[in-house]
Amino acid sequence: MAPSEHIPLDINIKEPRWDQSTFVGRANHFFTVTDPRNILLSDASLENARKIVHDYRQGIVPPGLTEDELWRAKYIYDSAFHPDTGEKMFVIGRMSAQVPMNMTITGCMMTFYRTTPAVLFWQWVNQSFNAVVNYTNRSGDAPITVSQLGTAYVSATTGAVATALGLNSLAKRVSPLVGRFVPFAAVASANCINIPLMRQRELKFGIPVTDEDGNRLGDSSKAAQQAIAQVVISRILMAAPGMAIPPFIMNTLEKKAFLKKFPWMSAPIQVGLVGICLVFATPLCCALFPQKSSMSVSRLEPELQARIKEKSPGLERVYFNKGL
């Protein structure tokens, strides 16, 4: 294919379209990345976007391709392919699946929270989904074995379910409204267990760190610690609006004649309320920290600091993909 006459060949599509040093720029980026419509795209559409992006990086552009179409292809590509490995991500683990999956699971967790079997089932479903998301959006390109993945999943899910059951037993002694917040407390606690366990290989062996131009400098566990802490904070805050606002609304609605007459409507209404919250909370909380996170060289492991100072004496900061 000949180079396009319509767009320049120096557009940096390795980086997001918007300025990632500002919260507004990151929010615009993540509203695009988490767009639920992306999970409806066919394999052919994803492959076409991948081809456009890869070809453009080689200086090959289809005739008539516009800059908006190039950016659209870049965001379709980013929504489905891992930034470090390039592999196509499992569909329910993609960030574009976050809103539909989370609104369904969270809505059901908050509707069916009164009995132990229901708590067990929905917490297990939620932690299984979280495990898929955490693995799919891990940082780095090092493989994880089935054994490591299985151990992490069982540990994380067991810890999360135990936390939920413990909180649920405490909630029986308080008011019904307070009881509605048990799922959020369980999810917040579980995120602190699930994410580090599913990404324990990063904590043990480190994640790739680079200079500002993307040149790899080594692997750092310190960077992994910062990355995982930022993801835990984002995930807890992401869940907060959808799990904190609907309980007040549902507590009021369940006293009204409509839900007394049609109690089966409780779950769909709750799922819808959670969905409205998540449409905004998901991208805005992803935007709290830059995807391309950074830290001072002085905070890295001593041996990595020494290697970096030897190769690049003037370098003060390193960069890494924090995961999502």
Side-chain angles (χ1 to χ4, degrees):
M1 290 182 187
S4 169
E5 298 174 4
H6 299 288
I7 59 174
L9 290 172
D10 60 353
I11 300 170
N12 185 10
I13 57 169
K14 287 185 178 178
E15 300 295 333
R17 188 172 193 176
W18 296 274
D19 180 6
Q20 296 299 284
S21 66
T22 68
F23 176 75
V24 172
R26 294 195 295 272
N28 278 324
H29 168 68
F30 281 110
F31 267 108
T32 309
V33 168
T34 62
D35 186 341
R37 291 173 297 180
N38 286 340
I39 60 170
L40 302 176
L41 294 170
S42 66
D43 284 345
S45 298
L46 297 179
E47 284 302 318
N48 182 55
R50 187 183 68 80
K51 187 174 188 310
I52 289 171
V53 169
H54 281 213
D55 284 353
Y56 184 83
R57 288 173 180 166
Q58 303 298 319
I60 303 166
V61 186
L65 185 77
T66 66
E67 186 170 347
D68 282 344
E69 287 169 345
L70 175 64
W71 282 111
R72 172 69 180 144
K74 179 249 187 322
Y75 274 100
I76 290 173
Y77 174 78
D78 285 354
S79 77
F81 296 88
H82 192 275
D84 292 325
T85 66
E87 67 186 17
K88 188 183 289 184
M89 296 183 285
F90 185 49
V91 65
I92 68 167
R94 299 173 194 169
M95 291 311 290
S96 49
Q98 283 286 290
V99 171
M101 291 298 297
N102 266 328
M103 66 185 276
T104 305
I105 295 169
T106 304
C108 289
M109 273 199 299
M110 295 173 68
T111 302
F112 310 111
Y113 67 93
R114 292 182 176 91
T115 66
T116 298
V119 170
L120 271 172
F121 177 74
W122 285 107
Q123 286 293 333
W124 169 74
V125 170
N126 187 48
Q127 291 314 314
S128 297
F129 170 63
N130 283 343
V132 172
V133 173
N134 295 336
Y135 173 72
T136 304
N137 294 283
R138 68 200 182 280
S139 175
D141 51 10
I144 183 169
T145 67
V146 174
S147 170
Q148 290 168 329
L149 192 59
T151 303
Y153 167 70
V154 171
S155 305
T157 305
T158 303
V161 169
T163 303
L165 289 175
L167 288 167
N168 212 46
S169 64
L170 290 173
K172 288 173 182 172
R173 304 170 200 166
V174 295
S175 71
L177 180 59
V178 174
R180 286 183 180 275
F181 287 94
V182 165
F184 173 61
V187 165
S189 305
N191 272 324
C192 297
I193 301 167
N194 196 322
I195 295 170
L197 278 172
M198 289 304 292
R199 294 177 61 175
Q200 61 183 289
R201 196 182 192 287
E202 298 171 36
L203 293 169
K204 187 174 181 181
F205 298 106
I207 57 175
V209 294
T210 69
D211 61 19
E212 200 165 7
D213 297 323
N215 300 308
R216 190 162 175 167
L217 303 167
D219 296 328
S220 169
S221 296
K222 298 280 188 185
Q225 289 169 19
Q226 178 176 305
I228 289 169
Q230 289 178 344
V231 170
V232 169
I233 292 167
S234 293
R235 292 282 189 85
I236 291 172
L237 293 176
M238 194 186 295
M243 300 189 87
I245 296 169
F248 290 105
I249 299 172
M250 292 305 297
N251 215 44
T252 303
L253 289 178
E254 285 182 0
K255 294 172 185 173
K256 305 290 182 185
F258 178 76
L259 277 185
K260 285 182 178 177
K261 188 175 180 182
F262 304 104
W264 59 270
M265 283 295 292
S266 181
I269 291 171
Q270 187 125 254
V271 168
L273 289 171
V274 172
I276 292 167
C277 294
L278 283 173
V279 163
F280 297 98
T282 301
L284 293 177
C285 290
C286 282
L288 288 173
F289 304 102
Q291 178 73 36
K292 186 180 177 180
S293 194
S294 70
M295 67 191 301
S296 169
V297 171
S298 62
R299 290 180 54 209
L300 297 171
E301 295 85 340
E303 62 276 14
L304 183 54
Q305 283 187 49
R307 289 209 308 273
I308 291 172
K309 283 175 182 173
E310 187 182 328
K311 289 182 180 177
S312 310
L315 194 68
E316 294 183 357
R317 295 194 77 74
V318 294
Y319 298 84
F320 50 91
N321 169 28
K322 71 174 175 63
L324 284 171

